[in-house]
């Protein structure tokens, strides 16, 4: 699988995995600060997002994890700090289950170790139907209002416009394939006590998509983990 990616800087490799239905562009605010901290920053686009081609009508979290493993091999990186936000976090947990030796440390941001509930799964299938008819507008209507906090909506309206623009740049077929994959992702809660690398958990206090109960579960079960909560911020 040919994964599109950008890389910046020199030093400790850090791979950041984007959320649904975005692309590697979502990390642009983080690049400079990480490069200035002597990091070698690697930002991939998952298959079906950004500049990476869709491969089939279902994108499993394991597919995405294996693509990242191949990318690390291609870049001859033995170990990296690997982290992701939301769907990027689901992929991070899958990658740890499949290839724990690739991790120097882990970052899980606004994500969950839990599988979808039946209700959530049915919601994804209904969103797939709407997206088949209305394209990315269906996902904008259903998801975008819940992603940001009231504070962000009031103080940073440009961000909401930017997110909407980025949603519209996503291929609906790529988004649908990932919705199918997220609906059937495994529950990783039993694996959490086995995570032996330092793990940073970053959550917005107002996150309504994943939430602080999930964050505390991760914090309680991952032995060497630290939870940072960002006030006033959503998903
Ligand atoms: C994301 O931000 O990646 C999505 O909200 C994840 C999800 O739909 O479970």
């Amino acid at each position: 699988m040919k994964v599109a990616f950008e890389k910046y800087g020199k030093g400790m490799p850090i791979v950041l995995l984007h959320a649904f239905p975005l692309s590697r562009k979502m990390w642009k605010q983080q690049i400079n600060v990480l490069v200035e901290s002597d990091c070698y920053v690697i930002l991939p686009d998952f298959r079906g997002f950004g500049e990476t081609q869709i491969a089939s009508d279902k994108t499993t979290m394991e597919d995405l994890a294996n693509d990242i493993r191949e990318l690390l091999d291609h870049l001859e990186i033995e170990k990296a700090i690997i982290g992701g936000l939301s769907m990027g976090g689901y992929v991070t947990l899958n990658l740890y289950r499949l290839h724990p030796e690739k991790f120097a440390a882990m970052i899980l941001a606004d994500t969950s170790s839990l599988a979808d509930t039946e209700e959530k799964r049915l919601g994804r299938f209904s969103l797939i139907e709407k997206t088949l008819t209305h394209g990315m507008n269906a996902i904008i209507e259903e998801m975008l209002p819940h992603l940001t906090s009231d504070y962000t909506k009031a103080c940073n309206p440009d961000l909401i416009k930017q997110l909407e623009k980025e949603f519209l740049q996503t291929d609906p077929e790529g988004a649908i394939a990932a919705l199918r994959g997220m609906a059937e992702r495994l529950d990783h809660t039993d694996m959490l006590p086995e995570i032996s690398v330092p793990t940073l958990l970053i959550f917005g206090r107002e996150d309504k998509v994943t939430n602080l109960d999930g964050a505390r579960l991760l914090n309680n079960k991952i032995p060497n983990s630290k939870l940072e909560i960002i006030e006033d911020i959503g998903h």
Side-chain angles (χ1 to χ4, degrees), residues 2-235:
K2 197 167 170 352
V3 169
F5 66 98
E6 281 169 45
K7 57 189 171 92
Y8 301 89
K10 285 197 175 75
M12 182 69 206
I14 176 165
V15 184
L16 295 177
L17 305 176
H18 65 79
F20 173 93
L22 298 169
S23 73
R24 64 186 196 250
K25 284 190 204 158
M26 69 165 266
W27 300 111
K28 59 178 177 283
Q29 311 268 18
Q30 278 72 43
I31 297 169
N32 284 348
V33 71
L34 289 169
V35 168
E36 281 160 20
S37 309
D38 297 325
C39 287
Y40 169 26
V41 185
I42 297 133
L43 308 176
D45 281 336
F46 287 138
R47 54 170 87 177
F49 296 90
E51 293 177 327
T52 303
Q53 298 298 311
I54 183 171
S56 64
D57 63 2
K58 182 165 68 185
T59 301
T60 68
M61 300 301 104
E62 284 87 352
D63 291 334
L64 298 177
N66 284 319
D67 290 345
I68 301 307
R69 157 78 210 253
E70 279 177 28
L71 176 63
L72 288 170
D73 288 351
H74 167 73
L75 294 170
E76 297 181 359
I77 293 173
E78 246 174 65
K79 272 184 196 290
I81 301 169
I82 304 172
L85 191 138
S86 202
M87 180 174 76
Y90 308 155
V91 177
T92 303
L93 288 170
N94 274 276
L95 184 56
Y96 191 85
R97 174 169 52 83
L98 299 170
H99 304 291
E101 72 287 353
K102 302 309 290 181
F103 283 74
M106 186 185 297
I107 303 170
L108 297 170
D110 296 297
T111 193
S112 172
S113 60
L114 303 170
D116 272 0
T117 59
E118 194 50 27
E119 188 187 351
K120 197 144 185 202
R121 207 168 284 142
L122 292 174
R124 293 207 199 267
F125 296 138
S126 132
L127 182 56
I128 289 171
E129 290 307 314
K130 290 183 203 155
T131 308
L132 284 167
T133 316
H134 303 290
M136 289 308 291
N137 282 314
I139 297 182
I140 289 174
E141 196 173 307
E142 193 153 318
M143 281 187 70
L144 198 51
H146 307 293
L147 291 187
T148 53
S149 62
D150 292 344
Y151 173 83
T152 302
K153 287 190 181 87
C155 299
N156 197 351
D158 286 351
L159 176 68
I160 318 290
K161 281 196 213 117
Q162 183 62 27
L163 281 170
E164 184 168 335
K165 200 170 130 204
E166 289 185 18
F167 275 42
L168 284 172
Q169 285 167 358
T170 296
D171 174 359
E173 284 185 22
I176 288 171
L179 284 167
R180 292 194 178 110
M182 286 195 284
E184 64 174 48
R185 72 184 189 280
L186 293 179
D187 191 308
H188 284 91
T189 310
D190 285 350
M191 182 190 79
L192 300 176
E194 290 157 31
I195 296 179
S196 60
V197 293
T199 302
L200 177 61
L201 309 168
I202 308 174
F203 280 73
R205 177 155 325 261
E206 307 300 329
D207 184 353
K208 304 279 188 295
V209 180
T210 49
N211 58 48
L212 289 187
D213 289 343
R216 290 191 189 103
L217 177 71
L218 293 169
N219 195 200
N220 288 336
K221 295 215 174 237
I222 301 176
N224 190 2
S225 63
K226 183 175 176 207
L227 175 59
E228 293 286 352
I229 297 176
I230 307 181
E231 299 299 330
D232 298 322
I233 295 301
H235 189 59

